[in-house]
């Protein structure tokens, strides 16, 4: 029961944060876009050349980047943009951790 209350509290804070920033959707999209372009897109090159990663990690990173780009250009809500950004960063971080630490 306590876990569910904690989950609801986290979800409620996330919802409150996104609703508070609904009017700032465009700056959040630009920040997300630039951050992913600068930090996430070069990541597969480093993983492939230095850590022997498969080239599929490039496809995953580019796919996540274009999903986020399409969502922002098509007018998705702030919750979708921020959620896609967090999911994309988490997947890229896990992919980097897998290839660097193996």
């Amino acid at each position: 029961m306590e876990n569910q209350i904690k989950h609801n509290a986290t979800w409620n804070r996330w919802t409150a944060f996104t609703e508070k920033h609904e009017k700032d959707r465009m700056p959040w999209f630009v920040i997300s876009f630039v951050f992913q372009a600068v930090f996430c897109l070069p990541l597969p090159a480093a993983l492939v050349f230095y850590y022997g990663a498969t080239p599929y990690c490039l496809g995953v990173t580019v796919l996540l980047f274009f999903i986020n780009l399409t969502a922002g250009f098509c007018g998705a809500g702030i919750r979708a943009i921020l959620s896609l950004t967090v999911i994309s960063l988490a997947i890229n971080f896990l992919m980097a951790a897998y290839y660097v630490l193996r």
Side-chain angles (χ1 to χ4, degrees):
M1 182 72 174
E2 184 178 316
N3 189 16
Q4 186 177 6
I5 292 171
K6 191 178 272 191
H7 172 70
N8 287 339
T10 305
W11 180 254
N12 291 339
R13 280 186 280 158
W14 173 254
T15 304
F17 176 78
T18 56
E19 287 175 358
K20 179 179 157 189
H21 291 280
E22 182 64 37
K23 64 185 179 307
D24 301 326
R25 184 175 57 194
M26 186 62 181
W28 275 107
F29 167 66
V30 171
I31 290 168
S32 165
F33 178 70
V34 170
F35 185 80
Q36 286 188 352
V38 171
F39 293 110
C40 292
L41 285 180
L43 180 67
L47 292 176
V48 168
F49 291 115
Y50 296 118
Y51 296 103
T54 62
Y56 294 122
C57 64
L58 174 64
V60 170
T61 301
V62 170
L63 182 66
L64 291 169
F65 176 75
F66 281 117
I67 288 171
N68 198 357
L69 179 70
T70 304
F73 281 169
C74 292
I78 186 74
R79 194 173 302 152
I81 291 172
L82 291 178
S83 296
L84 286 170
T85 301
V86 169
I87 290 168
S88 176
L89 292 176
I91 291 172
N92 280 303
F93 176 75
L94 290 172
M95 193 167 40
Y98 173 76
Y99 285 112
V100 169
L101 299 176
R102 74 178 170 138

